[in-house]
Amino acid sequence: MKKLFKFILNTIPRPILIRLSIVVRPILALLLKGSRFTDPIDGKSFRMFLPYGYGNQRNNVLSPSTLSLERHRLLWLYLQNETDFFTAKEKKKVLHFAPEQEFYKRFKKQSNIEYTTTDLLSPLADVKADICNLPFEDNHYDIIFCNHVLEHIPDDTKAMQELYRVLKPGGMGIFQIPQDLSRAVTFSDDSITDQKERAKIFGQYDHVRVYGRDYFDKLRSIGFTVVEEDYTNKIAPELVEKYCLAKGEIIPICYK
C-alpha cells in the first residue's frame, strides 16, 4: 500500500488528486472503520490511518474520512481548544491559502466568518492569486491560514511581506511549514533538479527549501510577533497517539 500511495502522489497532479479524493474518500472510510485511531475533525474512528509521503512514507498519518494529516488535526485541536475561531460572535474576515479539503467545507459553513480562499492552482480557490503579489487591501483580514505553502515559494520573503501587509493590526496568522528542528538554518539548493532527488532531500519534489529553527526569526524580521506553540505537549500522550499527531510539531502563531 505504501508503494501505491507514493506512486499516486508523485505522478498525479495535485488538482486532479483533489477531485479524485472526493470519490475515493467514503470508500476508504468504510473499508478501514475501527476503533484504534480517531480523527478529531469529524470524530470518526478507524483501525488504521493511511500512509503518506512523497519521499519517505509515514505510517498511520492520512485520515480515511477527512484526508487530514498530522498538521491538520493539530491545527484543528488548537483552533477548537485555544481560540474562539468556531465560537466568536463578532464576524471575522478569514483568508485561507491553498485550502485543505478537510477544512474547506467546514469553514465555508461557519456563519461567524467571512471566508475567502486563494491559490494559483487549487480548484477550491475563490481568488486565483500569486502570494507574492496579492490583490487584497492593506490591513484587511483578521485571520490568515497559509499552511505548507511557503516552502513552495522561491521568494518567501516577499510572500511573508504580503501576508503581513494584508493582515489587520491585532490579527492572527498561522503559517505552518514542514519542519526540521534539528537544523539551525534553513537549507536550499537550486542546483538539485532531479525530482526524485528533490523528494528525497526536501521531502517533496516541488519544495524549494527545508526550513530550520531560523524560520520563526525570519517571520519576526518581517514584523510579526511569533508564538512557537508546541501544542502536542499540552495534549495527553494517549490522545497524541489516538489522533496520530506528530509529537513536538510547532505551530507558528503570528500576530501583527
Side-chain angles (χ1 to χ4, degrees):
M1 183 179 288
K2 291 175 69 173
K3 289 183 178 180
L4 174 61
F5 273 79
K6 186 174 182 178
F7 174 78
I8 291 171
L9 288 171
N10 284 282
T11 56
I12 301 177
R14 191 181 301 271
I16 297 176
L17 277 176
I18 292 173
R19 292 186 173 92
L20 287 175
S21 65
I22 296 171
V23 178
V24 174
R25 186 168 48 190
I27 300 172
L28 291 173
L30 180 62
L31 291 174
L32 298 177
K33 190 174 181 180
S35 60
R36 183 180 179 190
F37 301 115
T38 298
D39 185 337
I41 297 175
D42 64 2
K44 294 182 179 179
S45 296
F46 305 94
R47 59 182 174 85
M48 63 176 287
F49 278 9
L50 296 162
Y52 187 86
Y54 285 79
N56 294 323
Q57 291 262 298
R58 308 186 304 282
N59 290 322
N60 288 315
V61 294
L62 184 68
S63 165
S65 57
T66 67
L67 300 185
S68 64
L69 296 170
E70 308 102 316
R71 65 180 184 265
H72 306 129
R73 296 187 290 274
L74 184 65
L75 176 56
W76 179 273
L77 289 166
Y78 177 81
L79 292 174
Q80 185 178 63
N81 299 333
E82 306 297 330
T83 77
D84 64 352
F85 179 76
F86 297 109
T87 59
K89 295 181 179 178
E90 182 182 353
K91 199 162 190 174
K92 296 182 180 181
K93 293 180 179 178
V94 177
L95 180 64
H96 194 167
F97 287 83
E100 300 92 343
Q101 288 186 72
E102 55 271 30
F103 297 146
Y104 178 75
K105 287 185 178 180
R106 290 170 174 83
F107 292 176
K108 273 284 189 186
K109 292 178 180 177
Q110 283 185 228
S111 59
N112 68 332
I113 64 174
E114 182 181 314
Y115 184 57
T116 302
T117 60
T118 184
D119 192 61
L120 277 176
L121 300 175
S122 174
L124 303 181
D126 299 318
V127 179
K128 301 293 185 183
D130 180 353
I131 192 173
C132 293
N133 185 24
L134 295 173
F136 307 118
E137 298 176 2
D138 295 358
N139 307 313
H140 189 68
Y141 289 100
D142 298 286
I143 299 171
I144 298 177
F145 298 120
C146 182
N147 297 320
H148 283 238
V149 171
L150 292 171
E151 69 275 9
H152 296 267
I153 309 300
D155 190 353
D156 64 339
T157 300
K158 179 60 177 173
M160 291 176 185
Q161 290 170 341
E162 281 290 88
L163 292 172
Y164 187 83
R165 178 181 67 80
V166 302
L167 185 65
K168 284 182 179 179
M172 178 185 75
I174 297 182
F175 311 141
Q176 292 172 298
I177 42 85
Q179 300 173 355
D180 183 353
L181 297 179
S182 67
R183 293 179 182 269
V185 179
T186 296
F187 171 75
S188 63
D189 187 345
D190 294 338
S191 70
I192 304 170
T193 57
D194 179 74
Q195 286 197 355
K196 290 183 179 180
E197 189 68 11
R198 293 195 68 82
K200 180 181 178 181
I201 294 173
F202 295 101
Q204 196 164 307
Y205 66 90
D206 55 352
H207 288 183
V208 298
R209 65 184 63 83
V210 179
Y211 282 108
R213 296 193 307 275
D214 58 342
Y215 171 70
F216 309 106
D217 284 335
K218 181 162 186 175
L219 288 168
R220 293 183 180 104
S221 74
I222 301 298
F224 291 107
T225 298
V226 181
V227 176
E228 300 174 33
E229 182 64 72
D230 185 0
Y231 195 56
T232 59
N233 277 334
K234 297 182 179 179
I235 300 172
E238 60 270 21
L239 291 181
V240 171
E241 182 177 352
K242 189 173 185 65
Y243 295 150
C244 294
L245 304 177
K247 183 68 175 176
E249 179 175 353
I250 305 298
I251 307 175
I253 315 296
C254 303
Y255 298 97
K256 181 175 178 179

